[in-house]
Amino acid sequence: MVYWILKQIFIGPPVRLLFRPWTKGMANVPRRGAAILASNHLSFSDSIFLPLMVRRPVVFLAKQEYFTGRGLKGRLTAAFFKYTNQLPMDRSGGEASSASLEAGAQILRGGGLLGIYPEGTRSPDGRLYRGKVGVARLALVNRVPVLPVAMIGTEKVQPIGQRLPSIRRVGVIVGRPMDFSEFYDRAEDRDVQREVVNRIMRQIQQLSAQEYVDAYAADVKARLAAEAADRAKRPPADA
């Protein structure tokens, strides 16, 4: 109930008025039944625009840090993600990540729409990065189709580090459902999972027209952060 009130009354109307989001391919979203929406990830606001434009409720796997912030801002952020149908995703790997994926699997088993960002984190520079295999495993084990999604222009609305969004028009493109039934009997095969997620990323790239980078976005972010820290430690050139 809270989800629909936020979507239809408090968030939806002003967002549509200000950002005038355009869509393409929404007819590809099934009216009923389980499916995965696999989207590129350019901005914090992706998790607002995509569920808003899809008629059915979408449950997103969002990074766990959004649910554990402190202070007033942290509590408000956690409340927002909770009441907009988002689940905490532990990205540390191992059993913690498996438990998070299981929460997503429960949504699919209940016939719902699950939103996930295969890159695992926001793109640091607007390019499309290598997908992680979690989305493939969810699709294969639960035997559901995957809809590739491209968010357009959201990195200009709210770049990483910018708190308040800029008013710009954004787009949402949903591709045709991808059927991976040929691989259902090999759902736990890591090579198969890699093949499936690579196919998904190629479809996202075709929809978004982003440059593709065959590296994990999280690794690139870590390298950039290390380089920035190293530069900060260096003495000024005129010292």
Side-chain angles (χ1 to χ4, degrees), residues 16-46:
R16 287 191 175 92
L17 178 64
L18 292 172
F19 298 94
R20 299 178 297 123
W22 57 269
T23 63
K24 182 178 179 181
M26 284 297 167
N28 290 323
V29 180
R31 293 185 177 181
R32 61 183 63 85
I36 296 173
L37 296 172
S39 175
N40 61 339
H41 198 13
L42 298 170
S43 166
F44 172 89
S45 60
D46 295 332

mmCIF file of all heavy atoms in Angstrom, residues 16-46:
data_model
loop_
_atom_site.group_PDB
_atom_site.id
_atom_site.type_symbol
_atom_site.label_atom_id
_atom_site.label_comp_id
_atom_site.label_asym_id
_atom_site.label_seq_id
_atom_site.Cartn_x
_atom_site.Cartn_y
_atom_site.Cartn_z
ATOM 1 N N ARG A 16 7.342 12.947 -12.917
ATOM 2 C CA ARG A 16 6.927 13.000 -14.321
ATOM 3 C C ARG A 16 6.858 14.435 -14.824
ATOM 4 O O ARG A 16 7.223 14.737 -15.971
ATOM 5 C CB ARG A 16 5.564 12.320 -14.486
ATOM 6 C CG ARG A 16 5.603 10.796 -14.376
ATOM 7 C CD ARG A 16 4.272 10.208 -14.824
ATOM 8 N NE ARG A 16 4.309 8.756 -14.848
ATOM 9 C CZ ARG A 16 3.964 7.978 -13.842
ATOM 10 N NH1 ARG A 16 3.552 8.530 -12.695
ATOM 11 N NH2 ARG A 16 4.020 6.667 -13.935
ATOM 12 N N LEU A 17 6.385 15.336 -13.994
ATOM 13 C CA LEU A 17 6.249 16.739 -14.382
ATOM 14 C C LEU A 17 7.617 17.393 -14.591
ATOM 15 O O LEU A 17 7.833 18.112 -15.578
ATOM 16 C CB LEU A 17 5.463 17.497 -13.307
ATOM 17 C CG LEU A 17 5.274 19.010 -13.542
ATOM 18 C CD1 LEU A 17 4.423 19.244 -14.792
ATOM 19 C CD2 LEU A 17 4.625 19.650 -12.321
ATOM 20 N N LEU A 18 8.549 17.126 -13.689
ATOM 21 C CA LEU A 18 9.842 17.803 -13.738
ATOM 22 C C LEU A 18 10.796 17.186 -14.763
ATOM 23 O O LEU A 18 11.476 17.911 -15.507
ATOM 24 C CB LEU A 18 10.492 17.777 -12.348
ATOM 25 C CG LEU A 18 9.816 18.615 -11.264
ATOM 26 C CD1 LEU A 18 10.457 18.335 -9.906
ATOM 27 C CD2 LEU A 18 9.909 20.098 -11.601
ATOM 28 N N PHE A 19 10.849 15.850 -14.802
ATOM 29 C CA PHE A 19 11.867 15.189 -15.620
ATOM 30 C C PHE A 19 11.331 14.681 -16.958
ATOM 31 O O PHE A 19 12.114 14.290 -17.814
ATOM 32 C CB PHE A 19 12.495 14.028 -14.836
ATOM 33 C CG PHE A 19 13.208 14.470 -13.593
ATOM 34 C CD1 PHE A 19 12.567 14.473 -12.363
ATOM 35 C CD2 PHE A 19 14.524 14.915 -13.652
ATOM 36 C CE1 PHE A 19 13.222 14.887 -11.211
ATOM 37 C CE2 PHE A 19 15.184 15.328 -12.514
ATOM 38 C CZ PHE A 19 14.535 15.319 -11.289
ATOM 39 N N ARG A 20 10.027 14.653 -17.133
ATOM 40 C CA ARG A 20 9.379 14.228 -18.379
ATOM 41 C C ARG A 20 10.026 12.968 -18.957
ATOM 42 O O ARG A 20 10.481 12.933 -20.099
ATOM 43 C CB ARG A 20 9.427 15.360 -19.413
ATOM 44 C CG ARG A 20 8.697 16.614 -18.974
ATOM 45 C CD ARG A 20 8.785 17.735 -19.976
ATOM 46 N NE ARG A 20 10.167 18.172 -20.154
ATOM 47 C CZ ARG A 20 10.788 18.180 -21.329
ATOM 48 N NH1 ARG A 20 10.168 17.757 -22.420
ATOM 49 N NH2 ARG A 20 12.032 18.611 -21.415
ATOM 50 N N PRO A 21 10.112 11.898 -18.163
ATOM 51 C CA PRO A 21 10.777 10.680 -18.646
ATOM 52 C C PRO A 21 10.063 10.071 -19.849
ATOM 53 O O PRO A 21 8.836 10.008 -19.889
ATOM 54 C CB PRO A 21 10.719 9.745 -17.430
ATOM 55 C CG PRO A 21 9.607 10.270 -16.586
ATOM 56 C CD PRO A 21 9.575 11.733 -16.800
ATOM 57 N N TRP A 22 10.839 9.656 -20.827
ATOM 58 C CA TRP A 22 10.293 8.977 -21.996
ATOM 59 C C TRP A 22 10.630 7.493 -21.905
ATOM 60 O O TRP A 22 11.594 7.106 -21.247
ATOM 61 C CB TRP A 22 10.838 9.569 -23.299
ATOM 62 C CG TRP A 22 12.339 9.553 -23.442
ATOM 63 C CD1 TRP A 22 13.209 10.539 -23.076
ATOM 64 C CD2 TRP A 22 13.145 8.501 -23.992
ATOM 65 N NE1 TRP A 22 14.508 10.169 -23.364
ATOM 66 C CE2 TRP A 22 14.496 8.944 -23.929
ATOM 67 C CE3 TRP A 22 12.860 7.252 -24.532
ATOM 68 C CZ2 TRP A 22 15.554 8.149 -24.377
ATOM 69 C CZ3 TRP A 22 13.906 6.457 -24.983
ATOM 70 C CH2 TRP A 22 15.232 6.919 -24.902
ATOM 71 N N THR A 23 9.821 6.683 -22.539
ATOM 72 C CA THR A 23 10.021 5.242 -22.459
ATOM 73 C C THR A 23 9.923 4.610 -23.844
ATOM 74 O O THR A 23 9.317 5.166 -24.763
ATOM 75 C CB THR A 23 8.979 4.572 -21.539
ATOM 76 O OG1 THR A 23 7.670 4.751 -22.101
ATOM 77 C CG2 THR A 23 9.024 5.164 -20.142
ATOM 78 N N LYS A 24 10.517 3.453 -23.940
ATOM 79 C CA LYS A 24 10.430 2.644 -25.158
ATOM 80 C C LYS A 24 10.460 1.176 -24.751
ATOM 81 O O LYS A 24 11.267 0.775 -23.915
ATOM 82 C CB LYS A 24 11.612 2.958 -26.083
ATOM 83 C CG LYS A 24 11.582 2.198 -27.406
ATOM 84 C CD LYS A 24 12.762 2.593 -28.284
ATOM 85 C CE LYS A 24 12.748 1.823 -29.594
ATOM 86 N NZ LYS A 24 13.920 2.193 -30.458
ATOM 87 N N GLY A 25 9.578 0.392 -25.327
ATOM 88 C CA GLY A 25 9.584 -1.049 -25.069
ATOM 89 C C GLY A 25 8.861 -1.489 -23.819
ATOM 90 O O GLY A 25 9.028 -2.640 -23.392
ATOM 91 N N MET A 26 8.041 -0.638 -23.219
ATOM 92 C CA MET A 26 7.341 -1.042 -22.006
ATOM 93 C C MET A 26 6.374 -2.204 -22.243
ATOM 94 O O MET A 26 6.033 -2.938 -21.319
ATOM 95 C CB MET A 26 6.585 0.147 -21.402
ATOM 96 C CG MET A 26 7.477 1.125 -20.673
ATOM 97 S SD MET A 26 8.274 0.341 -19.247
ATOM 98 C CE MET A 26 9.521 1.567 -18.852
ATOM 99 N N ALA A 27 5.957 -2.392 -23.493
ATOM 100 C CA ALA A 27 5.089 -3.521 -23.810
ATOM 101 C C ALA A 27 5.807 -4.852 -23.641
ATOM 102 O O ALA A 27 5.166 -5.907 -23.573
ATOM 103 C CB ALA A 27 4.563 -3.394 -25.238
ATOM 104 N N ASN A 28 7.146 -4.807 -23.537
ATOM 105 C CA ASN A 28 7.912 -6.038 -23.331
ATOM 106 C C ASN A 28 7.813 -6.554 -21.901
ATOM 107 O O ASN A 28 8.137 -7.721 -21.642
ATOM 108 C CB ASN A 28 9.384 -5.797 -23.671
ATOM 109 C CG ASN A 28 9.609 -5.597 -25.156
ATOM 110 O OD1 ASN A 28 8.965 -6.242 -25.989
ATOM 111 N ND2 ASN A 28 10.515 -4.688 -25.511
ATOM 112 N N VAL A 29 7.384 -5.706 -20.985
ATOM 113 C CA VAL A 29 7.237 -6.138 -19.589
ATOM 114 C C VAL A 29 5.977 -6.987 -19.479
ATOM 115 O O VAL A 29 4.874 -6.518 -19.800
ATOM 116 C CB VAL A 29 7.137 -4.925 -18.638
ATOM 117 C CG1 VAL A 29 6.975 -5.407 -17.195
ATOM 118 C CG2 VAL A 29 8.353 -4.031 -18.769
ATOM 119 N N PRO A 30 6.099 -8.228 -19.039
ATOM 120 C CA PRO A 30 4.902 -9.084 -18.963
ATOM 121 C C PRO A 30 3.895 -8.545 -17.959
ATOM 122 O O PRO A 30 4.260 -7.984 -16.927
ATOM 123 C CB PRO A 30 5.474 -10.436 -18.512
ATOM 124 C CG PRO A 30 6.766 -10.102 -17.833
ATOM 125 C CD PRO A 30 7.312 -8.914 -18.560
ATOM 126 N N ARG A 31 2.624 -8.720 -18.291
ATOM 127 C CA ARG A 31 1.571 -8.234 -17.400
ATOM 128 C C ARG A 31 1.496 -9.043 -16.113
ATOM 129 O O ARG A 31 1.027 -8.543 -15.091
ATOM 130 C CB ARG A 31 0.227 -8.269 -18.120
ATOM 131 C CG ARG A 31 0.129 -7.290 -19.277
ATOM 132 C CD ARG A 31 -1.268 -7.291 -19.873
ATOM 133 N NE ARG A 31 -1.394 -6.307 -20.943
ATOM 134 C CZ ARG A 31 -2.515 -6.083 -21.622
ATOM 135 N NH1 ARG A 31 -3.613 -6.788 -21.321
ATOM 136 N NH2 ARG A 31 -2.546 -5.189 -22.570
ATOM 137 N N ARG A 32 1.933 -10.266 -16.170
ATOM 138 C CA ARG A 32 1.932 -11.118 -14.978
ATOM 139 C C ARG A 32 3.070 -12.122 -15.091
ATOM 140 O O ARG A 32 3.630 -12.341 -16.165
ATOM 141 C CB ARG A 32 0.589 -11.850 -14.834
ATOM 142 C CG ARG A 32 0.260 -12.766 -15.994
ATOM 143 C CD ARG A 32 -1.106 -13.395 -15.819
ATOM 144 N NE ARG A 32 -2.159 -12.393 -15.818
ATOM 145 C CZ ARG A 32 -2.715 -11.908 -16.935
ATOM 146 N NH1 ARG A 32 -2.294 -12.326 -18.128
ATOM 147 N NH2 ARG A 32 -3.661 -11.021 -16.869
ATOM 148 N N GLY A 33 3.406 -12.715 -13.972
ATOM 149 C CA GLY A 33 4.459 -13.716 -13.960
ATOM 150 C C GLY A 33 5.825 -13.134 -13.637
ATOM 151 O O GLY A 33 6.069 -11.936 -13.763
ATOM 152 N N ALA A 34 6.718 -14.012 -13.209
ATOM 153 C CA ALA A 34 8.044 -13.593 -12.763
ATOM 154 C C ALA A 34 8.950 -13.235 -13.933
ATOM 155 O O ALA A 34 8.889 -13.845 -15.003
ATOM 156 C CB ALA A 34 8.675 -14.715 -11.939
ATOM 157 N N ALA A 35 9.802 -12.232 -13.709
ATOM 158 C CA ALA A 35 10.808 -11.839 -14.692
ATOM 159 C C ALA A 35 11.838 -10.968 -13.991
ATOM 160 O O ALA A 35 11.580 -10.405 -12.918
ATOM 161 C CB ALA A 35 10.183 -11.087 -15.860
ATOM 162 N N ILE A 36 13.008 -10.880 -14.598
ATOM 163 C CA ILE A 36 14.084 -10.046 -14.075
ATOM 164 C C ILE A 36 14.297 -8.857 -14.991
ATOM 165 O O ILE A 36 14.395 -9.014 -16.217
ATOM 166 C CB ILE A 36 15.398 -10.843 -13.954
ATOM 167 C CG1 ILE A 36 15.254 -11.971 -12.935
ATOM 168 C CG2 ILE A 36 16.560 -9.931 -13.570
ATOM 169 C CD1 ILE A 36 16.464 -12.897 -12.883
ATOM 170 N N LEU A 37 14.352 -7.663 -14.418
ATOM 171 C CA LEU A 37 14.736 -6.456 -15.146
ATOM 172 C C LEU A 37 16.213 -6.209 -14.849
ATOM 173 O O LEU A 37 16.571 -5.880 -13.715
ATOM 174 C CB LEU A 37 13.901 -5.262 -14.700
ATOM 175 C CG LEU A 37 12.394 -5.336 -14.977
ATOM 176 C CD1 LEU A 37 11.679 -4.178 -14.301
ATOM 177 C CD2 LEU A 37 12.131 -5.297 -16.467
ATOM 178 N N ALA A 38 17.069 -6.405 -15.856
ATOM 179 C CA ALA A 38 18.514 -6.242 -15.672
ATOM 180 C C ALA A 38 18.945 -4.936 -16.321
ATOM 181 O O ALA A 38 18.915 -4.803 -17.551
ATOM 182 C CB ALA A 38 19.261 -7.420 -16.302
ATOM 183 N N SER A 39 19.323 -3.975 -15.499
ATOM 184 C CA SER A 39 19.562 -2.619 -15.987
ATOM 185 C C SER A 39 21.012 -2.176 -15.834
ATOM 186 O O SER A 39 21.718 -2.607 -14.917
ATOM 187 C CB SER A 39 18.662 -1.645 -15.212
ATOM 188 O OG SER A 39 18.933 -0.307 -15.555
ATOM 189 N N ASN A 40 21.433 -1.286 -16.741
ATOM 190 C CA ASN A 40 22.684 -0.570 -16.496
ATOM 191 C C ASN A 40 22.485 0.339 -15.287
ATOM 192 O O ASN A 40 21.354 0.570 -14.842
ATOM 193 C CB ASN A 40 23.111 0.227 -17.732
ATOM 194 C CG ASN A 40 22.085 1.294 -18.145
ATOM 195 O OD1 ASN A 40 20.908 1.228 -17.798
ATOM 196 N ND2 ASN A 40 22.526 2.274 -18.909
ATOM 197 N N HIS A 41 23.567 0.863 -14.744
ATOM 198 C CA HIS A 41 23.454 1.633 -13.499
ATOM 199 C C HIS A 41 24.342 2.871 -13.580
ATOM 200 O O HIS A 41 25.553 2.794 -13.419
ATOM 201 C CB HIS A 41 23.862 0.757 -12.315
ATOM 202 C CG HIS A 41 23.400 1.276 -10.982
ATOM 203 N ND1 HIS A 41 22.466 2.283 -10.844
ATOM 204 C CD2 HIS A 41 23.756 0.919 -9.710
ATOM 205 C CE1 HIS A 41 22.261 2.515 -9.555
ATOM 206 N NE2 HIS A 41 23.025 1.704 -8.858
ATOM 207 N N LEU A 42 23.698 4.013 -13.841
ATOM 208 C CA LEU A 42 24.424 5.264 -14.031
ATOM 209 C C LEU A 42 24.285 6.219 -12.861
ATOM 210 O O LEU A 42 25.127 7.097 -12.683
ATOM 211 C CB LEU A 42 23.913 5.964 -15.301
ATOM 212 C CG LEU A 42 24.108 5.207 -16.618
ATOM 213 C CD1 LEU A 42 23.338 5.911 -17.732
ATOM 214 C CD2 LEU A 42 25.588 5.123 -16.957
ATOM 215 N N SER A 43 23.220 6.058 -12.073
ATOM 216 C CA SER A 43 22.920 7.057 -11.057
ATOM 217 C C SER A 43 22.061 6.460 -9.943
ATOM 218 O O SER A 43 21.352 5.469 -10.148
ATOM 219 C CB SER A 43 22.171 8.220 -11.712
ATOM 220 O OG SER A 43 21.574 9.073 -10.766
ATOM 221 N N PHE A 44 22.136 7.090 -8.790
ATOM 222 C CA PHE A 44 21.250 6.744 -7.675
ATOM 223 C C PHE A 44 19.792 6.800 -8.114
ATOM 224 O O PHE A 44 18.963 5.998 -7.686
ATOM 225 C CB PHE A 44 21.502 7.727 -6.528
ATOM 226 C CG PHE A 44 20.534 7.615 -5.376
ATOM 227 C CD1 PHE A 44 20.773 6.748 -4.323
ATOM 228 C CD2 PHE A 44 19.386 8.392 -5.340
ATOM 229 C CE1 PHE A 44 19.886 6.645 -3.258
ATOM 230 C CE2 PHE A 44 18.490 8.303 -4.284
ATOM 231 C CZ PHE A 44 18.740 7.417 -3.242
ATOM 232 N N SER A 45 19.479 7.740 -9.000
ATOM 233 C CA SER A 45 18.092 7.955 -9.414
ATOM 234 C C SER A 45 17.551 6.865 -10.334
ATOM 235 O O SER A 45 16.351 6.840 -10.615
ATOM 236 C CB SER A 45 17.940 9.324 -10.093
ATOM 237 O OG SER A 45 18.758 9.417 -11.237
ATOM 238 N N ASP A 46 18.402 5.948 -10.813
ATOM 239 C CA ASP A 46 17.902 4.822 -11.616
ATOM 240 C C ASP A 46 16.828 4.055 -10.859
ATOM 241 O O ASP A 46 15.846 3.591 -11.449
ATOM 242 C CB ASP A 46 19.047 3.867 -11.971
ATOM 243 C CG ASP A 46 20.081 4.486 -12.877
ATOM 244 O OD1 ASP A 46 19.718 5.393 -13.659
ATOM 245 O OD2 ASP A 46 21.257 4.082 -12.799
#
